[in-house]
Amino acid sequence: MEFPSKKKLRAQRIFSVSSAHLFWNKNGDRLAAHTERYQKKINPTSHIEIFDARGKDISVLSMPLSESFIAFDWEPSGDKFCVLVGTQHKSTPLIYYLDTTKHVPQLISKFEPMERFTNVVWAPAGGWLVVYSAGSTSGSIMFIDSNGAQPTRTNLVEYPGFNKGVWDPTGRYFAAACTSHGGKGDSGYRIYTFQGRELFRKPLDRLIQFKWRPRLHVKLPEETIKMIRKNLKATSARFEEEDKLERGRATKV
């Protein structure tokens, strides 16, 4: 619906729906609608409809899920999204790509079913994402690199009992926190790189809330961003070497 005119732009009739959830992307030009639909003598089935409002007409892509829906998240800047599906005991992260020349979202990565993940969250600039299991005894956290044609897992770590995961505004670090309200482990937090390497852990007697300090938005030209991503491995190796030298000097002191 268009505002303030209240003009109806597109409608989609879906029947036998028991529950529904809506997910807008960051730019507000794509909407994912998850529905659970009842069918005769069988359990409800999960479906996702993708509404694309970037063109003159709003197109709709329909996608039934092979397993029960758990969680969904859009890539902040890009054409991908991740869906968690599974059972009460195991879940599977599925990453899709929206190709404007295709009539259905294209599945580009399906990871092996593991313990039940509960959340999926993309880094602020996209490219990297984390799926994790909040409030579980194992507290699994999977780091995924989706920058290439085939998304790959970069690391899998465990933080038993933690209940909150959040990216920092730059997308370079991911924090997992176990708060006094909702956490099932010892209070505290841990900080990881975007690739899943642990940098710091801090146990606390009591933790109420964890938040990153906001960062000013710096707009870089698209060519500069592409160059940074292209040289990321070489730059990371140089920073790693500098960190080793710093640690060596600190040890001598």
Side-chain angles (χ1 to χ4, degrees):
M1 182 177 290
E2 183 181 66
F3 283 92
S5 65
K6 296 184 179 180
K7 177 183 177 182
K8 184 185 291 186
L9 301 177
R10 180 64 192 253
Q12 181 81 357
R13 292 183 179 273
I14 303 175
F15 299 95
S16 303
V17 175
S18 61
S19 64
H21 301 88
L22 302 179
F23 305 90
W24 283 101
N25 73 341
K26 182 179 178 180
N27 296 328
D29 53 16
R30 280 173 171 161
L31 172 69
H34 154 245
T35 55
E36 293 292 320
R37 306 179 193 177
Y38 279 109
Q39 298 188 15
K40 294 181 180 179
K41 298 182 180 180
I42 61 175
N43 294 327
T45 56
S46 301
H47 298 256
I48 288 180
E49 268 71 37
I50 304 293
F51 295 81
D52 192 340
R54 296 178 304 164
K56 183 178 180 180
D57 298 321
I58 298 178
S59 61
V60 181
L61 303 178
S62 297
M63 185 179 72
L65 299 177
S66 58
E67 296 182 89
S68 297
F69 173 90
I70 298 174
F72 179 100
D73 196 27
W74 287 102
E75 184 180 24
S77 56
D79 299 309
K80 303 186 189 79
F81 62 86
C82 180
V83 185
L84 289 181
V85 298
T87 65
Q88 293 182 348
H89 306 290
K90 290 186 177 182
S91 60
T92 304
L94 305 174
I95 299 178
Y96 289 86
Y97 173 75
L98 292 176
D99 188 340
T100 55
T101 64
K102 307 293 184 180
H103 296 293
V104 294
Q106 302 300 297
L107 178 64
I108 59 175
S109 183
K110 179 179 180 179
F111 293 88
E112 290 296 322
M114 299 185 62
E115 73 163 80
R116 183 179 170 86
F117 292 112
T118 57
N119 299 74
V120 52
V121 56
W122 289 81
W128 298 83
L129 69 150
V130 166
V131 293
Y132 63 88
S133 179
S136 69
T137 54
S138 64
S140 295
I141 309 173
M142 181 190 293
F143 293 81
I144 300 172
D145 177 8
S146 73
N147 289 291
Q150 179 70 34
T152 57
R153 188 183 81 181
T154 59
N155 204 4
L156 179 67
V157 299
E158 292 186 353
Y159 183 2
F162 88 100
N163 63 309
K164 182 178 181 180
V166 58
W167 286 95
D168 87 303
T170 68
R172 294 178 60 193
Y173 307 104
F174 180 82
C178 185
T179 65
S180 302
H181 301 287
K184 296 183 179 180
D186 296 330
S187 295
Y189 62 91
R190 300 179 186 180
I191 296 177
Y192 305 87
T193 66
F194 61 93
Q195 295 173 319
R197 180 169 60 88
E198 184 177 325
L199 296 176
F200 180 77
R201 64 171 63 187
K202 179 67 174 179
L204 297 168
D205 293 333
R206 185 177 177 85
L207 177 62
I208 304 300
Q209 189 179 49
F210 181 98
K211 279 192 174 183
W212 288 100
R213 186 186 73 175
R215 297 290 196 276
L216 292 175
H217 179 69
V218 179
K219 183 65 176 178
L220 295 176
E222 189 65 28
E223 293 182 358
T224 304
I225 295 175
K226 289 181 179 179
M227 184 181 66
I228 292 173
R229 288 178 175 173
K230 181 179 179 180
N231 301 325
L232 186 60
K233 289 185 177 180
T235 305
S236 298
R238 179 165 58 85
F239 287 155
E240 288 283 353
E241 190 63 29
E242 291 178 0
D243 288 343
K244 288 180 181 179
L245 293 175
E246 287 291 337
R247 286 195 293 268
R249 284 195 288 266
T251 302
K252 292 179 181 179
V253 173

